[in-house]
Amino acid sequence: MLSYKAPVADIKFLIEDVFNYYDHYKKHEEFEEATPDLVDAILQECAKFCENELLPLYQSGDKEGCRFDNGKVITPKGFKEAYQQYVDGGWSALSHPLEHGGQGLPPSLGLVQSEMTGTANWSWAMYPGLSHGAMNTIDAHGNDKQKELYLTRLIQGTWTGTMCLTEPQCGTDLGQVKTKAEPNGDGTYNITGTKIFISAGEHDLTDNIIHIVLARLPDAPKGTRGISLFIVPKMKTSQDGTLGDSNNVTCGSIEDKMGIKASATAVLNFDNAVGELIGPENKGLECMFTFMNTARLGTALQGVCAAELAFQNSLIYAKERLSMRSLTGKKYPEQVADPIIVHPDVRKMLMTQKVISEGGRAMIYYTAKIVDDISMAKSDKEREAADDRLGFITPILKAFLTELGSESANHGLQIFGGHGYIKEWGMEQIVRDVRISTLYEGTTGIQALDLLGRKILLTRGKSLNDFSKEVLGFCKDKSLISSNPHKRQMNRFIWPLSKSIANWQQYSVRLALKAKSDRDVVGSASVDFLMYSGYVVMGYFWAQMAQSAYEKLAEDVENRDFYRAKIKTAEFYFERMFPRTKSLAKTMMADPKSLMQLDQELMSFV
Amino acid sequence: MLSYKAPVADIKFLIEDVFNYYDHYKKHEEFEEATPDLVDAILQECAKFCENELLPLYQSGDKEGCRFDNGKVITPKGFKEAYQQYVDGGWSALSHPLEHGGQGLPPSLGLVQSEMTGTANWSWAMYPGLSHGAMNTIDAHGNDKQKELYLTRLIQGTWTGTMCLTEPQCGTDLGQVKTKAEPNGDGTYNITGTKIFISAGEHDLTDNIIHIVLARLPDAPKGTRGISLFIVPKMKTSQDGTLGDSNNVTCGSIEDKMGIKASATAVLNFDNAVGELIGPENKGLECMFTFMNTARLGTALQGVCAAELAFQNSLIYAKERLSMRSLTGKKYPEQVADPIIVHPDVRKMLMTQKVISEGGRAMIYYTAKIVDDISMAKSDKEREAADDRLGFITPILKAFLTELGSESANHGLQIFGGHGYIKEWGMEQIVRDVRISTLYEGTTGIQALDLLGRKILLTRGKSLNDFSKEVLGFCKDKSLISSNPHKRQMNRFIWPLSKSIANWQQYSVRLALKAKSDRDVVGSASVDFLMYSGYVVMGYFWAQMAQSAYEKLAEDVENRDFYRAKIKTAEFYFERMFPRTKSLAKTMMADPKSLMQLDQELMSFV
């Protein structure tokens, strides 16, 4: 019953008008193929595939789920065929290197593609999604033989990949990893241990699965400094790609979960499975961290996908469902009642969904440019600078957009009233599916500690200051004191934005000072600080979108309604969402005592 | 895997120390049986039944769900036996009138009982829960024969009841009801139509089900003024209670829902089913409204139940799960990692759950006294006064506590990390189950319109002023300017509370003035206004609980830790939750234009 149309107009507004992707691509000669014509064709084709092939499998995939049968996983009906179409269409290769069979297009276009596949069917999209993680790892840390054998086939889509980190006793705290890797003396290792929560860990889409596994060498140091990374294929493989017997990686079960039921979450038992070391010994975590930001960005995207899908369907329903009359008088007197979209609170929920989806997309598309910059950096210095920018903004996007994606999905369910609770309509599925996004790839709490603890306090605020400088530069450039022809209209956005930037920096300094005498200040403030940061960052992009819309309206463009709507939506953001910063500012500065003083044994008297 | 212990210490604190139920019961001679000894015995027995019989069916009931088989509904394994135990224990009769076989105990005790059954197993509790609605309706509007035939058996629990309001085309907007009632000339009516979303509409717990049905008489006025109320039993019944053939009420299907899967949500087809009129012709909605407040209070309770169950289980997990080290240094150096309860953000989530559960319980128990007052009012004037108080506070409790119950359930899931997403642990079930509570019995948006539109603007703020006067009286009585021995400590709660009361009144006046020129102001502000109200009301009870705790600590009591914990929890509330009012104050006053100005056709360009 759910519908989805790829928001191509909005995507093009961002990549053409707001973020000037084509100018940006010109900076990197490797990306010169990414011309407007090619990109438009990709958008159209990708939209078609997602709307016609993936969306119809979204609700049926949830209903059917994955089936576990004696070590095998059977994906829902249609998943395998859709995957084959995806591979045949070359979609798995889009943003991967030419020299290994990829199409060599920029990572930012890969993210646009991921947005469409992920909105149409997040569970399905996780299979190719996990492959990207494995590909990136092998591309960065693998040797030539590994690239030839594994990377080319992952790029082709012949095989898929996974990331095997979590074990029953640890998820976040990877220092507790117990899986062992014993050298066989021939350059290979026997891997033994149990990994849980392995997305796409077992399935029937391809004949082989390439697992990237965290494990410990004998006598490795304890904790996080003694973890190495291994490539462990499901099936034994010759260097020419021929598959042999099972490599003793067995799927013990799949999880029965709240949502993303069509995505198999496997328990994998490695029992002397033969693997190859990838990257240096005991540096496994560092190697993983290289891609943690992009993996987290991919999860942030899930929030946007859920927000978009929920919004599109809520809007259709709100225009159709007739209930009660507008308080300002009948709007459709010929009908038995007015459509619920006339009611201000329904509109408030719809507009909230809209700013989350469009504002979130802008945050992702901005960050995607940084990912491009990293992948094409000409020097270590350039790469590090881009890495720092990415490292700062990623935890904000990951936590903020997944929390807001959940909020949007819940508004969607709410707009449908009692019908939202019924499976048939699909709205409750979006709520269930997106709920995982605040958990995996580091919970909201972990992102918040990363932001405030590592990215701000450890760097003495450098990344925050750099980003603030960028925003304040924009503010100065577009405000009353500038030559911006739209400054008068822009000032209502610029003023609260620049004020919040000043506060943001001030709060971080005050928290840093407090944290010197009490480290619990960090954990106590972190989530509120992160959410505050999210509203400020999203505010920056709403202001930018409004500015771009004013600029387009000043030209002789045709789709004027689109740009006018964008400005009105920015108004909604600043009037209705942005004030959430007020409460967050207050609670983030509260004394940690109120959290910490109650002895844990006195928290309950049952 | 979930556990539940009835929070008897907290319940007794409220009914003995904070709200003085026993003094209150003495005001009504009908309640003199409700002595401390009897109540304690009831609490103990009810706790035992809920912990031992109902909780074990909570997760299995979700997994199994209700089965629909050719018009019949089979409830999950154990549900029927538990229901029989409930009936045998006399629980269905607890707070119903003596003259019809009830135990004649106060409604407030019925709510305490409902809290325990509802926390242990909300889906199961809905079967007897819906019966209460039918009982109350027949008790107030039925004639003697109807009471003798139906009410006595509902009180015994031999039969159960339902409320049949919703139809496919309408839920909130009952003026659209189409179900017809044609007089047979013998005092009975033939009822024909389709009702949907009928909780407990069909099941195998009892042989008969008494449906209270909204329908239209021939030539009834259009809209809400032409709706009458009918009693329609599932089986034809003689006046002596003997059951005959089917009464042409058939269950067409049950809904496949996000949660409360063990509660059957039926589509009921009435095909010339024979019914009796209850209450006056065309006054069906007024008759229903009599009990809407208590039904909504019962739904508000669902928020508290979910918050309590989620809190209890999160707390256990947070003490057991080992991950990372405290930022202030290892707390359990002998273990591989610290339990996650050492981390401030985990504590923030736990404390948030705790204030929701305990603060919500206080809000319910306070309101339960008003329900007692109504049921035992000596005059119309007394009844109306109590009715007004109940009518004012009910929408606040219903919307605020169900929204916060969902929040607490989600914190619970979050505290479990990835495991929270797995069905086995039960945490995601609490999220799914409580999600219905913001929808049924009037959505959050409907409650908000009721509060701001009907209860405040229509009465020119009378109810708000009365309630504010009560709170300000408390504030004056406990603050620095009074003789309260604990005034110094209390002032940090009293000050923000009294300030928020002043603002609350001011905002309502400003909104009333604005609404004169633009009715959309009401809908635009309503939900934020309601949530603001909720935080203020909960603040009142946290201040009261702190005051009671100080008073007990000044005595020579034994369980001093309990009272100290209560005060620390109040501190958390005022420092970490209460500031949420800041953002709400800002957004509720925002111009409706930001919601209404965007043409609905321009909301999306896909």
Side-chain angles (χ1 to χ4, degrees):
Chain A
M1 304 269 282
L2 288 177
S3 84
Y4 170 59
K5 293 283 167 211
V8 176
D10 205 58
I11 291 172
K12 289 185 72 170
F13 169 65
L14 291 177
I15 67 184
E16 292 172 9
D17 303 332
V18 183
F19 297 125
N20 299 310
Y21 268 24
Y22 299 113
D23 285 352
H24 156 78
Y25 291 157
K26 281 181 201 146
K27 287 192 299 183
H28 306 298
E29 61 193 45
E30 300 85 346
F31 295 155
E32 60 191 12
E33 296 257 327
T35 59
D37 282 352
L38 180 74
V39 172
D40 283 359
I42 289 173
L43 294 181
Q44 295 304 334
E45 282 307 305
C46 189
K48 234 188 274 175
F49 172 66
C50 296
E51 294 165 5
N52 301 335
E53 309 302 327
L54 295 186
L55 181 77
L57 303 177
Y58 181 63
Q59 287 178 266
S60 62
D62 177 73
K63 194 167 181 181
E64 197 182 329
C66 285
R67 196 151 52 82
F68 180 72
D69 182 13
N70 197 23
K72 292 198 169 134
V73 169
I74 300 99
T75 56
K77 206 171 156 225
F79 269 46
K80 192 169 175 163
E81 292 75 12
Y83 182 76
Q84 197 51 52
Q85 270 193 269
Y86 173 86
V87 169
D88 294 345
W91 295 111
S92 61
L94 192 82
S95 58
H96 291 284
L98 287 166
E99 63 264 41
H100 302 295
Q103 298 186 33
L105 290 166
S108 53
L109 282 184
L111 266 166
V112 175
Q113 174 203 4
S114 295
E115 186 204 318
M116 289 193 196
T117 54
T119 311
N121 197 327
W122 188 265
S123 282
W124 181 91
M126 285 183 72
Y127 296 96
L130 267 293
S131 282
H132 290 304
M135 288 186 234
N136 289 338
T137 309
I138 298 173
D139 190 25
H141 302 291
N143 57 36
D144 288 345
K145 277 181 80 173
Q146 290 168 337
K147 288 183 191 176
E148 192 193 314
L149 173 56
Y150 301 113
L151 184 56
T152 51
R153 286 172 181 84
L154 287 167
I155 287 175
Q156 277 165 15
T158 324
W159 299 342
T160 68
T162 74
M163 306 299 277
C164 299
L165 287 70
T166 303
E167 300 186 1
Q169 76 286 359
C170 66
T172 299
D173 191 2
L174 291 170
Q176 292 186 48
V177 157
K178 286 180 186 166
T179 297
K180 287 184 300 187
E182 288 176 292
N184 290 323
D186 61 352
T188 68
Y189 297 80
N190 275 2
I191 311 290
T192 302
T194 298
K195 295 286 177 180
I196 66 166
F197 294 170
I198 307 309
S199 299
E202 179 56 43
H203 59 72
D204 57 0
L205 305 182
T206 55
D207 297 331
N208 201 9
I209 303 174
I210 309 307
H211 304 292
I212 308 287
V213 183
L214 289 185
R216 286 185 186 285
L217 291 167
D219 308 320
K222 280 193 179 176
T224 52
R225 283 173 205 169
I227 297 175
S228 306
L229 208 55
F230 298 87
I231 302 180
V232 188
K234 172 182 163 186
M235 309 300 290
K236 287 185 177 151
T237 51
S238 317
Q239 185 64 30
D240 66 358
T242 319
L243 300 185
D245 294 340
S246 157
N247 189 24
N248 299 322
V249 185
T250 52
C251 176
S253 62
I254 56 173
E255 304 289 351
D256 189 8
K257 310 185 297 293
M258 181 185 201
I260 53 165
K261 287 171 190 269
S263 165
T265 306
V267 175
L268 290 184
N269 298 311
F270 296 83
D271 183 14
N272 286 315
V274 179
E276 304 173 33
L277 184 71
I278 174 169
E281 287 186 4
N282 298 328
K283 298 282 180 199
L285 273 194
E286 284 92 323
C287 293
M288 298 284 307
F289 279 137
T290 327
F291 303 106
M292 200 162 276
N293 285 328
T294 43
R296 288 178 171 181
L297 190 58
T299 311
L301 189 60
Q302 188 178 2
V304 178
C305 292
E308 177 68 30
L309 189 61
F311 171 60
Q312 288 196 16
N313 288 281
S314 310
L315 181 59
I316 293 168
Y317 189 80
K319 288 183 194 172
E320 281 173 2
R321 176 74 177 179
L322 306 179
S323 185
M324 311 300 283
R325 291 297 186 181
S326 164
L327 287 178
T328 56
K330 290 182 188 182
K331 294 290 173 287
Y332 297 80
E334 73 288 1
Q335 295 180 334
V336 292
D338 286 334
I340 60 173
I341 199 169
V342 306
H343 304 309
D345 184 57
V346 172
R347 275 185 164 261
K348 192 174 76 159
M349 292 191 276
L350 285 169
M351 290 299 290
T352 304
Q353 294 184 298
K354 185 172 164 67
V355 293
I356 293 171
S357 154
E358 296 175 11
R361 180 174 299 115
M363 290 166 79
I364 299 273
Y365 284 29
Y366 166 87
T367 309
K369 282 172 76 175
I370 309 178
V371 178
D372 288 347
D373 289 342
I374 293 174
S375 82
M376 293 298 140
K378 298 278 181 293
S379 65
D380 283 354
K381 206 183 145 195
E382 258 184 55
R383 183 172 296 110
E384 273 165 34
D387 245 340
D388 285 349
R389 294 176 63 206
L390 183 66
F392 170 72
I393 205 158
T394 297
I396 301 176
L397 265 61
K398 160 63 169 85
F400 180 72
L401 292 180
T402 57
E403 294 288 344
L404 262 59
S406 286
E407 179 184 333
S408 172
N410 272 293
H411 287 315
L413 195 162
Q414 191 74 17
I415 288 167
F416 276 66
H419 297 277
Y421 202 66
I422 308 297
K423 295 214 157 190
E424 187 186 3
W425 291 91
M427 298 307 286
E428 61 85 40
Q429 186 187 339
I430 307 176
V431 173
R432 288 186 289 105
D433 284 354
V434 73
R435 188 63 188 81
I436 187 63
S437 66
T438 70
L439 298 163
Y440 59 14
E441 289 297 332
T443 62
T444 299
I446 293 298
Q447 304 300 327
L449 280 181
D450 180 46
L451 175 69
L452 186 58
R454 292 169 60 99
K455 304 296 168 54
I456 295 186
L457 300 190
L458 265 188
T459 71
R460 297 171 175 275
K462 187 184 172 306
S463 313
L464 172 61
N465 290 342
D466 289 348
F467 187 79
S468 299
K469 214 174 282 174
E470 177 185 328
V471 181
L472 290 174
F474 169 82
C475 290
K476 209 175 143 192
D477 211 36
K478 309 301 176 196
S479 66
L480 268 186
I481 55 166
S482 74
S483 60
N484 177 22
H486 317 290
K487 58 192 177 187
R488 203 169 288 280
Q489 298 100 316
M490 281 300 291
N491 234 41
R492 69 211 150 129
F493 309 133
I494 296 300
W495 193 79
L497 177 61
S498 50
K499 197 175 153 192
S500 73
I501 289 281
N503 288 337
W504 195 20
Q505 291 179 296
Q506 209 182 85
Y507 295 137
S508 74
V509 171
R510 282 167 60 191
L511 289 171
L513 288 173
K514 284 186 175 199
K516 280 187 185 168
S517 56
D518 180 2
R519 289 301 292 170
D520 275 335
V521 164
V522 183
S524 155
S526 54
V527 170
D528 290 339
F529 181 85
L530 184 141
M531 293 303 287
Y532 182 96
S533 308
Y535 289 110
V536 174
V537 173
M538 192 179 259
Y540 173 43
F541 294 111
W542 271 111
Q544 278 196 58
M545 288 193 279
Q547 172 69 28
S548 296
Y550 280 121
E551 286 169 16
K552 295 306 284 186
L553 285 169
E555 297 170 20
D556 188 23
V557 286
E558 276 188 6
N559 46 345
R560 307 184 72 77
D561 279 341
F562 177 89
Y563 298 106
R564 287 196 192 109
K566 199 57 87 173
I567 292 163
K568 288 174 182 170
T569 310
E571 285 172 12
F572 175 87
Y573 181 77
F574 279 96
E575 288 196 29
R576 299 271 172 176
M577 296 279 283
F578 200 67
R580 295 185 184 181
T581 48
K582 286 194 170 288
S583 299
L584 294 166
K586 179 86 181 163
T587 51
M588 78 165 97
M589 300 310 296
D591 196 314
K593 205 180 123 207
S594 61
L595 297 180
M596 308 310 289
Q597 65 179 347
L598 188 54
D599 187 287
Q600 67 181 59
E601 295 314 318
L602 306 183
M603 273 203 179
S604 174
F605 292 83
V606 296
Chain B
M1 302 269 281
L2 289 176
S3 85
Y4 171 59
K5 294 284 166 211
V8 175
D10 205 58
I11 290 171
K12 290 185 71 170
F13 169 65
L14 291 177
I15 69 184
E16 291 172 8
D17 303 331
V18 182
F19 297 124
N20 300 310
Y21 268 24
Y22 298 113
D23 286 352
H24 157 77
Y25 290 157
K26 278 181 202 145
K27 286 192 300 183
H28 306 298
E29 63 194 42
E30 300 84 345
F31 295 155
E32 61 190 12
E33 296 256 329
T35 58
D37 282 353
L38 181 74
V39 172
D40 283 359
I42 289 174
L43 294 182
Q44 295 305 333
E45 282 307 305
C46 189
K48 233 187 276 176
F49 172 66
C50 295
E51 294 166 5
N52 301 336
E53 308 302 327
L54 296 186
L55 181 76
L57 303 176
Y58 181 63
Q59 287 177 265
S60 62
D62 177 71
K63 195 168 180 179
E64 198 181 329
C66 286
R67 195 151 51 82
F68 180 72
D69 182 13
N70 198 22
K72 292 197 168 135
V73 170
I74 300 99
T75 57
K77 205 172 157 226
F79 268 47
K80 191 169 176 163
E81 293 73 13
Y83 183 76
Q84 197 51 50
Q85 271 193 271
Y86 173 86
V87 169
D88 294 345
W91 295 110
S92 61
L94 192 82
S95 57
H96 291 284
L98 286 166
E99 63 267 39
H100 303 294
Q103 297 187 34
L105 290 166
S108 53
L109 283 184
L111 267 166
V112 175
Q113 174 202 4
S114 295
E115 186 203 319
M116 290 193 196
T117 54
T119 312
N121 197 328
W122 188 265
S123 283
W124 181 91
M126 284 183 71
Y127 296 97
L130 268 292
S131 282
H132 290 302
M135 288 185 233
N136 290 337
T137 308
I138 297 173
D139 190 25
H141 302 291
N143 58 37
D144 288 345
K145 277 180 82 173
Q146 289 169 338
K147 288 184 190 176
E148 191 191 316
L149 173 57
Y150 301 113
L151 184 56
T152 52
R153 285 173 181 83
L154 288 166
I155 288 176
Q156 279 166 13
T158 323
W159 300 341
T160 66
T162 73
M163 306 298 277
C164 300
L165 287 72
T166 303
E167 300 185 1
Q169 76 286 1
C170 65
T172 299
D173 191 2
L174 290 170
Q176 292 187 49
V177 157
K178 285 181 186 165
T179 297
K180 287 183 300 186
E182 289 175 292
N184 291 324
D186 61 352
T188 67
Y189 297 80
N190 275 3
I191 312 291
T192 301
T194 298
K195 295 286 179 180
I196 65 166
F197 295 170
I198 307 309
S199 300
E202 179 57 42
H203 59 72
D204 56 0
L205 305 182
T206 56
D207 296 332
N208 202 8
I209 302 174
I210 309 307
H211 304 293
I212 309 288
V213 183
L214 288 185
R216 286 185 187 284
L217 290 167
D219 307 320
K222 278 194 178 174
T224 53
R225 283 173 205 169
I227 297 175
S228 305
L229 208 55
F230 298 87
I231 303 181
V232 188
K234 172 182 162 185
M235 309 299 292
K236 287 185 177 152
T237 50
S238 317
Q239 186 63 31
D240 67 357
T242 319
L243 299 186
D245 294 340
S246 158
N247 188 24
N248 299 324
V249 184
T250 52
C251 175
S253 62
I254 56 172
E255 303 289 351
D256 189 8
K257 311 185 297 293
M258 182 186 200
I260 54 166
K261 286 169 190 269
S263 165
T265 306
V267 174
L268 290 185
N269 298 311
F270 296 83
D271 184 13
N272 286 315
V274 180
E276 304 174 32
L277 184 70
I278 175 169
E281 286 186 5
N282 299 329
K283 298 281 180 201
L285 273 194
E286 284 93 322
C287 293
M288 297 286 306
F289 279 136
T290 327
F291 303 106
M292 201 162 276
N293 285 328
T294 43
R296 288 178 170 181
L297 190 58
T299 310
L301 188 60
Q302 188 179 1
V304 178
C305 292
E308 177 69 29
L309 188 62
F311 172 59
Q312 288 197 16
N313 287 281
S314 310
L315 181 58
I316 294 168
Y317 189 79
K319 289 184 195 172
E320 281 173 1
R321 175 76 177 179
L322 307 178
S323 184
M324 313 299 283
R325 292 297 186 181
S326 163
L327 287 179
T328 57
K330 291 182 186 182
K331 295 289 172 287
Y332 297 81
E334 74 287 2
Q335 296 180 335
V336 292
D338 286 334
I340 59 173
I341 198 169
V342 307
H343 304 309
D345 184 57
V346 171
R347 275 186 164 260
K348 192 174 77 160
M349 292 191 276
L350 286 168
M351 292 298 292
T352 303
Q353 295 184 299
K354 186 172 162 68
V355 294
I356 292 171
S357 153
E358 296 175 11
R361 180 174 298 116
M363 289 166 79
I364 299 273
Y365 284 30
Y366 165 88
T367 309
K369 283 173 76 175
I370 308 178
V371 178
D372 287 347
D373 289 342
I374 293 173
S375 82
M376 292 299 142
K378 297 280 182 292
S379 65
D380 284 353
K381 205 183 146 198
E382 258 184 54
R383 183 174 296 108
E384 274 166 32
D387 244 342
D388 285 348
R389 295 176 63 207
L390 184 66
F392 171 71
I393 205 160
T394 297
I396 301 176
L397 265 61
K398 158 63 169 81
F400 180 73
L401 291 179
T402 57
E403 294 288 344
L404 262 60
S406 286
E407 179 183 335
S408 172
N410 272 294
H411 287 316
L413 195 163
Q414 192 73 17
I415 289 167
F416 275 66
H419 297 277
Y421 202 66
I422 308 298
K423 295 215 157 189
E424 185 187 3
W425 291 91
M427 299 307 287
E428 60 85 42
Q429 187 188 338
I430 308 176
V431 173
R432 287 186 290 106
D433 284 355
V434 73
R435 189 62 188 81
I436 187 64
S437 65
T438 69
L439 297 164
Y440 59 14
E441 289 297 333
T443 62
T444 298
I446 292 299
Q447 304 299 326
L449 280 181
D450 180 46
L451 175 68
L452 185 57
R454 292 169 60 97
K455 303 297 168 51
I456 294 187
L457 301 190
L458 265 188
T459 71
R460 296 170 176 275
K462 187 182 173 307
S463 312
L464 172 61
N465 290 341
D466 289 349
F467 186 78
S468 299
K469 215 175 278 175
E470 177 185 328
V471 181
L472 289 174
F474 169 82
C475 289
K476 210 175 143 191
D477 212 36
K478 310 301 177 195
S479 66
L480 267 185
I481 55 166
S482 75
S483 60
N484 177 22
H486 316 290
K487 58 191 177 186
R488 203 168 287 281
Q489 298 99 317
M490 281 300 293
N491 235 42
R492 68 210 148 129
F493 308 134
I494 295 301
W495 193 77
L497 178 61
S498 50
K499 197 176 152 193
S500 74
I501 289 281
N503 288 337
W504 195 19
Q505 291 179 296
Q506 209 183 85
Y507 295 138
S508 73
V509 171
R510 282 167 59 192
L511 289 172
L513 288 173
K514 284 187 176 199
K516 281 186 183 167
S517 56
D518 180 3
R519 290 301 291 169
D520 275 335
V521 164
V522 182
S524 156
S526 55
V527 170
D528 290 339
F529 181 85
L530 183 141
M531 294 303 288
Y532 182 96
S533 308
Y535 288 109
V536 174
V537 174
M538 191 179 259
Y540 173 43
F541 294 111
W542 270 113
Q544 277 195 60
M545 289 192 279
Q547 172 70 26
S548 296
Y550 280 121
E551 286 169 15
K552 296 305 284 186
L553 285 169
E555 297 170 20
D556 188 23
V557 287
E558 276 188 8
N559 46 345
R560 307 184 72 77
D561 280 340
F562 177 89
Y563 299 106
R564 287 195 193 111
K566 200 55 91 176
I567 292 162
K568 288 174 181 170
T569 310
E571 284 172 13
F572 175 87
Y573 181 77
F574 279 96
E575 289 195 28
R576 299 269 173 178
M577 296 278 284
F578 200 67
R580 294 184 184 182
T581 49
K582 286 193 171 289
S583 299
L584 293 166
K586 180 85 182 165
T587 51
M588 77 166 94
M589 301 310 296
D591 196 312
K593 205 180 121 208
S594 62
L595 296 180
M596 308 309 289
Q597 66 179 348
L598 188 54
D599 188 286
Q600 67 182 58
E601 295 314 318
L602 306 183
M603 273 204 180
S604 174
F605 291 83
V606 297

